[in-house]
């Protein structure tokens, strides 16, 4: 017998009030609720997936609500399973259910309801088990709400085949709406202003910012299309964060960093379709593995809050007396600090876990091991453009920059002439830790596919250890909407300069916005760098900037081939 939606809710005690039902033992009261933030799913397994929504109660309401979740193997819910749970102000009226008892490699539809109010219908997919001929992943990162429209998510929502979206961090940003705040020149033009309008610090602030992001229709569409597999980077807390501090945290005005971090992580777990931290474990330890049948293992690592030591900056360059007595930068001392073996990103515990996961994946015969990693891993030295371009060409390019940008570019050009890395907040700021990771790859007998976000640029890199042996292939995704350095540089060809200056950099695009689309089969990995034509308007066009193929070999990733 087919039971319609109203019948299902009535049978399972969700009530038939015209609005929401209030949990409790007293009379049922009608509460007018909405589902302003869409629906989402995440952390898929072969037999389960996390389902998420947020119920928006009327202003001033602070009671608990009963929520019914319907899960069906078809969009019309002809054969459906019903779960009931409650939510309230203690978790900001977010709803999270680990829907279990599902079948592997299957699409499911889901919907939330309170009374007769229902959410949009979402679509999710469990991980496959056993023989798996193909997996398709969309890889995203860095979505600054004021930075532009989330057209990349609209494109992802329209993909015909998609098993999961891999999000590498910077899902939200912490900055306020001041005129000089990050991305606000675009934000004011597009009327995409941060809420709250100040930098977020408290739990209420982080909740409001997450809520604003999930009102974006394109992001909602992508969440309703496929499960997300997420890890945070720094901006989910605050810029350039590490274990005990952050560049964008000032204790004298913003309080205890540990309190701020705890608030940020609580809001993240409330508002994201991610499994809760296991009892007795650190909330920061969200490294975890996803097995796609017999085809691939995806290891998501955490590089910010569990082990990262404080980053270096170019301001750490001290001066020394040169041969003629005049002050010159002490590059040798700076590089010695950079190469300090104590500098860490993953930490011993997480690296040992990763080694076991990689080795086990290879031992059971999965051809692909994928590392969901936040920051660029390749060796990327800042390009000395004075040796690459004629002075007159450089001057013509510089002439088109605003005075403040020109001053910054001139400073950076001077730094790069010294041979310093392009980005000290990436793995290049932690070379000893990177070498330990490469040793872990070698001991596990794998050459994984490394995914990277954070940089707001597309990257295709071949990674080598200090001995020159290739250890992995890296694909970096550009931002959904966050600005790139190239956005302010006019005609300066930064991506081309980085490719020319670095042996490990096969390709770099510092201008395009979009996502990486990866399709895996037992014999090969096909990777496309997908760019949207604009983040400032609709409609837009979607194109592949570059396409690459990596064939599988007994050692893992084979030759990198542009197609």
């Amino acid at each position: 017998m087919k039971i319609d939606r109203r019948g299902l809710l009535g049978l399972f005690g969700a009530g038939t009030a015209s609005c929401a039902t209030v949990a409790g033992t007293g009379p049922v009261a009608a509460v007018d609720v909405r589902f302003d933030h869409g629906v989402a799913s995440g952390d898929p397994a072969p037999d389960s997936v996390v389902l998420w929504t947020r119920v928006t109660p009327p202003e001033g309401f602070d009671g608990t609500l009963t929520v019914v979740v319907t899960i069906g193997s078809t969009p019309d819910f002809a054969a459906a399973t019903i779960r009931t749970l409650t939510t309230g102000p203690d978790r900001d009226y977010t709803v999270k259910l680990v829907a279990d008892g599902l079948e592997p490699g299957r699409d499911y539809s889901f919907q939330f309801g309170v009374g007769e109010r229902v959410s949009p219908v979402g679509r999710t997919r469990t991980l496959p088990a056993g023989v798996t001929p193909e997996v398709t992943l969309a890889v995203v990162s860095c979505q600054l709400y004021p930075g532009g429209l989330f057209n990349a998510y609209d494109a992802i929502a329209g993909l015909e085949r998609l098993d999961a979206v891999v999000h590498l961090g910077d899902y939200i940003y912490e900055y306020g709406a001041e005129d000089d705040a990050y991305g606000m020149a675009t934000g004011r033009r597009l009327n995409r202003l941060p809420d709250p309008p100040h930098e977020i610090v408290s739990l209420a602030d982080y909740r409001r910012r997450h809520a604003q992001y999930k009102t974006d229709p394109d992001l909602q569409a992508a969440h309703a299309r496929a499960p997300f597999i997420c890890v945070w980077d720094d901006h989910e807390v605050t810029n350039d964060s590490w274990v005990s501090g952050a560049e964008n945290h000032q204790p004298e005005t913003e309080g205890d960093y540990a309190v701020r971090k705890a608030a940020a992580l609580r809001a993240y777990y409330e508002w994201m379709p991610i499994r809760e931290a296991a009892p007795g474990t650190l909330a920061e330890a969200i490294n975890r593995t996803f097995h796609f049948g017999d085809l691939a293992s995806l290891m998501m690592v955490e590089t910010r809050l569990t082990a990262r030591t404080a980053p270096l900056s170019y301001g750490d360059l001290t001066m020394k007396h040169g041969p003629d007595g005049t002050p010159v930068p002490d590059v040798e001392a700076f590089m010695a600090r950079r190469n300090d073996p104590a500098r860490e990103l993953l930490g011993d515990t997480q690296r040992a876990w990763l080694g076991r996961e990689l080795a086990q994946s290879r031992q059971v015969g999965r051809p692909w091991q994928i590392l969901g990693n936040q920051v660029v891993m390749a060796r990327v030295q800042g390009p000395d453009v004075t040796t690459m371009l004629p002075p007159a060409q450089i001057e013509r390019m510089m002439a088109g920059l605003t005075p403040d940008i020109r001053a910054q570019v001139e400073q950076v050009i001077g730094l790069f002439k010294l041979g310093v890395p392009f980005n000290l907040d990436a793995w290049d700021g932690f070379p000893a830790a990177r070498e330990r990771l490469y040793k872990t790859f070698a001991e596990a007998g794998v050459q994984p596919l490394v995914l990277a976000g954070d940089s707001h640029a597309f990257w295709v890199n071949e990674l080598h250890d200090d001995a020159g042996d290739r250890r992995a292939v890296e694909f970096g995704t550009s931002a959904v909407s966050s600005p790139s350095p190239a956005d302010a540089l006019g005609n300066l060809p930064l991506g081309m300069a980085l490719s020319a200056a670095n042996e490990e950099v096969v390709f770099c695009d510092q201008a395009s916005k979009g996502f990486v689309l990866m399709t895996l089969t037992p014999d090969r990995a096909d990777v496309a760098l997908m760019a949207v034509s604009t983040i400032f308007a609709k409609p837009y066009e979607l194109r592949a900037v570059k396409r690459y193929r990596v064939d599988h070999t007994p050692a893992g990733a084979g030759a990198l081939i542009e197609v």
Side-chain angles (χ1 to χ4, degrees):
M1 177 179 67
K2 182 176 179 179
I3 304 174
D4 65 18
R5 172 70 188 169
R6 181 173 300 185
L8 285 171
L9 297 183
L11 282 174
F12 285 86
T16 57
S18 61
C19 300
T21 58
V22 181
T25 59
V28 173
V31 180
D32 188 16
V33 303
R34 303 186 310 275
F35 291 91
D36 292 342
H37 304 96
V39 298
S41 68
D43 275 14
D47 61 350
S48 64
V49 66
V50 174
L51 305 180
W52 178 96
T53 193
R54 199 260 183 167
V55 182
T56 302
E59 186 174 354
F61 179 81
D62 62 356
T64 58
L65 298 171
T66 298
V67 184
V68 174
V69 191
T70 308
I71 309 124
S73 56
T74 58
D76 63 359
F77 298 106
T81 300
I82 304 295
R83 311 286 175 87
T84 302
L85 63 162
T86 61
T87 188
D90 60 318
R91 59 172 302 111
D92 203 20
Y93 291 96
T94 59
V95 179
K96 188 185 295 186
L97 170 71
V98 178
D100 54 11
L102 306 180
E103 296 181 14
R106 289 283 303 274
D107 286 334
Y108 286 89
S109 296
F110 63 99
Q111 187 175 48
F112 298 85
V114 277
E116 293 187 347
R117 301 289 190 236
V118 292
S119 73
V121 174
R123 176 181 175 185
T124 191
R125 184 172 178 82
T126 53
L127 295 187
V131 177
T132 303
E134 183 174 300
V135 165
T136 299
L137 305 173
V139 185
V140 294
S141 180
C142 305
Q143 51 200 56
L144 179 68
Y145 187 84
L149 303 178
F150 291 171
N151 287 340
Y153 279 126
D154 179 69
I156 288 170
L159 293 174
E160 182 177 349
R161 169 67 193 268
L162 183 61
D163 289 273
V165 177
V166 179
H167 200 297
L168 301 176
D170 293 344
Y171 187 97
I172 65 167
Y173 281 75
E174 78 276 17
Y175 302 112
E178 299 82 8
D179 287 342
D180 61 348
Y182 191 49
M184 278 307 299
T186 299
R188 292 204 180 280
R189 177 155 55 97
L190 297 178
N191 195 30
R192 289 174 69 89
L193 309 181
D195 179 52
H198 54 265
E199 183 177 326
I200 55 176
V201 176
S202 69
L203 175 60
D205 290 342
Y206 282 101
R207 284 171 165 174
R208 279 180 62 179
R209 190 61 56 85
H210 274 282
Q212 179 185 41
Y213 273 62
K214 280 200 170 66
T215 61
D216 184 273
D218 295 327
L219 180 55
Q220 285 191 13
H223 270 303
R225 170 64 181 86
F228 274 50
I229 298 173
C230 301
V231 69
W232 53 63
D233 192 25
D234 53 341
H235 290 287
E236 286 85 351
V237 179
T238 190
N239 184 58
D240 288 359
S241 53
W242 66 90
V243 169
S244 57
E247 177 277 331
N248 193 31
H249 181 77
Q250 292 73 44
E252 60 278 5
T253 58
E254 295 170 332
D256 187 343
Y257 173 72
V259 173
R260 181 180 188 177
K261 180 172 70 171
L265 297 193
R266 178 174 173 179
Y268 186 90
Y269 277 107
E270 289 173 346
W271 279 86
M272 296 296 290
I274 184 174
R275 294 173 193 257
E276 299 292 315
T281 63
L282 293 173
E284 295 91 334
I286 58 170
N287 52 294
R288 59 213 195 279
T289 301
F290 299 86
H291 298 302
F292 293 82
D294 66 349
L295 183 60
S297 297
L298 169 64
M299 279 67 73
M300 301 292 284
V301 297
E302 201 286 325
T303 62
R304 284 288 175 186
L305 305 179
T306 56
R308 179 185 280 248
T309 48
L312 292 173
S313 71
Y314 300 129
D316 293 312
L317 266 170
T318 57
M319 304 299 286
K320 67 178 182 179
H321 292 297
D324 60 357
T326 59
V328 296
D330 192 346
V331 177
E332 185 178 49
F334 178 79
M335 290 301 185
R337 289 186 62 187
R338 173 177 167 258
N339 291 317
D340 183 351
R343 296 184 56 72
E344 187 56 272
L345 277 187
L346 291 181
D348 293 340
T349 300
Q350 186 176 183
R351 189 169 52 254
W353 163 83
L354 178 61
R356 293 191 298 271
E357 294 292 305
L358 291 169
Q360 183 183 43
S361 177
R362 181 177 183 273
Q363 288 164 7
V364 300
R366 293 188 183 95
W368 299 107
Q369 292 75 42
I370 310 165
L371 199 64
N373 148 79
Q374 289 72 65
V375 294
V376 172
M377 196 172 288
R379 303 166 193 260
V380 185
Q381 183 172 307
D384 181 2
V385 296
T386 64
T387 65
M388 303 169 67
L389 299 172
Q393 184 177 351
I394 295 175
E395 178 53 38
R396 286 195 300 272
M397 292 178 176
M398 300 283 280
L401 304 179
T402 61
D404 58 330
I405 296 296
R406 174 166 182 150
Q408 294 177 44
V409 172
E410 288 174 343
Q411 182 182 33
V412 168
I413 288 175
L415 286 169
F416 290 165
K417 286 172 66 71
L418 302 175
V420 298
F422 177 66
N423 183 1
L424 292 166
D425 192 51
W427 281 89
D428 253 342
F430 306 81
R434 179 172 56 197
E435 197 65 15
R436 290 191 289 271
L437 178 62
Y438 289 166
K439 182 180 179 182
T440 299
F441 292 169
E443 290 173 346
V446 300
Q447 286 195 27
L449 303 177
V450 173
L451 306 177
D454 181 68
S455 70
H456 310 174
F458 282 124
W459 300 84
V460 179
N461 304 318
E462 301 224 47
L463 308 182
H464 298 79
D465 62 17
D466 285 345
D469 295 324
R470 195 180 86 153
R471 291 302 173 201
V473 176
E474 180 174 40
F475 296 100
T477 184
S478 187
V480 170
S481 62
S482 303
S484 304
D487 294 342
L489 296 182
N491 294 322
L492 281 173
L494 181 58
M496 186 184 303
L498 287 165
S499 300
N502 294 280
E503 291 186 6
E504 291 197 354
V505 181
V506 176
F507 176 75
C508 181
D509 177 354
Q510 289 276 330
S512 298
K513 300 291 188 290
F515 60 98
V516 166
L517 187 62
M518 174 179 287
T519 300
L520 303 170
T521 63
D523 298 326
R524 59 192 277 176
D526 290 296
V527 179
L529 312 182
M530 304 300 296
V532 294
S533 57
T534 179
I535 58 171
F536 306 123
K538 292 182 182 296
Y540 64 90
E541 295 180 355
L542 182 69
R543 69 182 179 93
V545 175
K546 290 280 186 179
R547 295 183 185 272
Y548 291 87
R549 186 184 88 229
V550 180
D551 293 329
H552 174 257
T553 73
L560 178 66
I561 303 168
E562 184 178 350
V563 294

